[in-house]
Amino acid sequence: MAILSSEVLTQVNGLLFPNLTGVASINTELKGILKELSARGYLKKTDTLTLTASVDYVTNPTGLLTIQSIHAQDYVPLKPMTWAERVGLRAYNSTTGTPERYVVYGGSIWVYPVPSTAAAALTWTIAYTYLHPDDVTTILFDEQWRQCIYDG
């Protein structure tokens, strides 16, 4: 069951203002709580990552904080690298193949080597942590986080 901002508001009003009208909107406080929890890496997601043949980058998922893993089917997960390593590797070797390394830089995830047609055809999965969006109508944290969110 999803946690709704209206449920948090009801809970907070019940605790703080049992005999009064109470708080009319909790969105500002709730945004702060959700950003703080998600910034600590508690909001996780797994998605499909679509690679394109001969293109060595993809746009970051919305709100990306950290990558936990990137892998294709039965392949070994990609290893992280630095931007300097990526630049050095590309300067000496521009071949295509199945990516083995990645770096997050400038709003994109860059992979090396550049994906071949066969590598781009694979189903790639990315597991990552991300920031909660500003829209708090529906809270993306699991039910286990309900009391923590209520407590602020």
Side-chain angles (χ1 to χ4, degrees):
M1 178 174 134
I3 303 170
L4 304 176
S5 60
S6 59
E7 295 171 333
V8 177
L9 178 60
T10 301
Q11 180 74 12
V12 168
N13 277 334
L15 291 171
L16 300 178
F17 308 103
N19 299 318
L20 302 172
T21 305
V23 179
S25 173
I26 194 134
N27 288 355
T28 302
E29 183 67 24
L30 198 48
K31 282 180 192 177
I33 292 165
L34 298 176
K35 290 290 184 189
E36 183 179 335
L37 287 174
S38 59
R40 294 178 183 209
Y42 296 130
L43 196 54
K44 300 175 183 180
K45 192 171 193 177
T46 301
D47 275 332
T48 299
L49 190 66
T50 303
L51 300 181
T52 303
S54 300
V55 177
D56 62 347
Y57 67 92
V58 295
T59 302
N60 288 347
T62 302
L64 175 73
L65 284 175
T66 61
I67 294 175
Q68 297 176 313
S69 70
I70 301 175
H71 66 277
Q73 292 142 326
D74 296 328
Y75 287 80
V76 173
L78 274 61
K79 295 177 183 173
M81 65 179 162
T82 66
W83 183 252
E85 289 172 320
R86 183 234 174 241
V87 170
L89 289 167
R90 290 281 289 151
Y92 296 106
N93 188 349
S94 60
T95 61
T96 62
T98 301
E100 298 171 359
R101 303 180 79 184
Y102 74 90
V103 62
V104 177
Y105 184 81
S108 298
I109 300 168
W110 298 79
V111 296
Y112 180 82
V114 176
S116 63
T117 302
L122 298 171
T123 300
W124 290 86
T125 303
I126 179 172
Y128 60 98
T129 63
Y130 65 105
L131 283 175
H132 197 284
D134 286 338
D135 181 3
V136 296
T137 305
T138 300
I139 297 168
L140 302 179
F141 281 94
D142 294 336
E143 183 66 28
Q144 69 186 17
W145 291 96
R146 182 179 295 272
Q147 193 60 50
C148 184
I149 293 166
Y150 285 168
D151 293 343

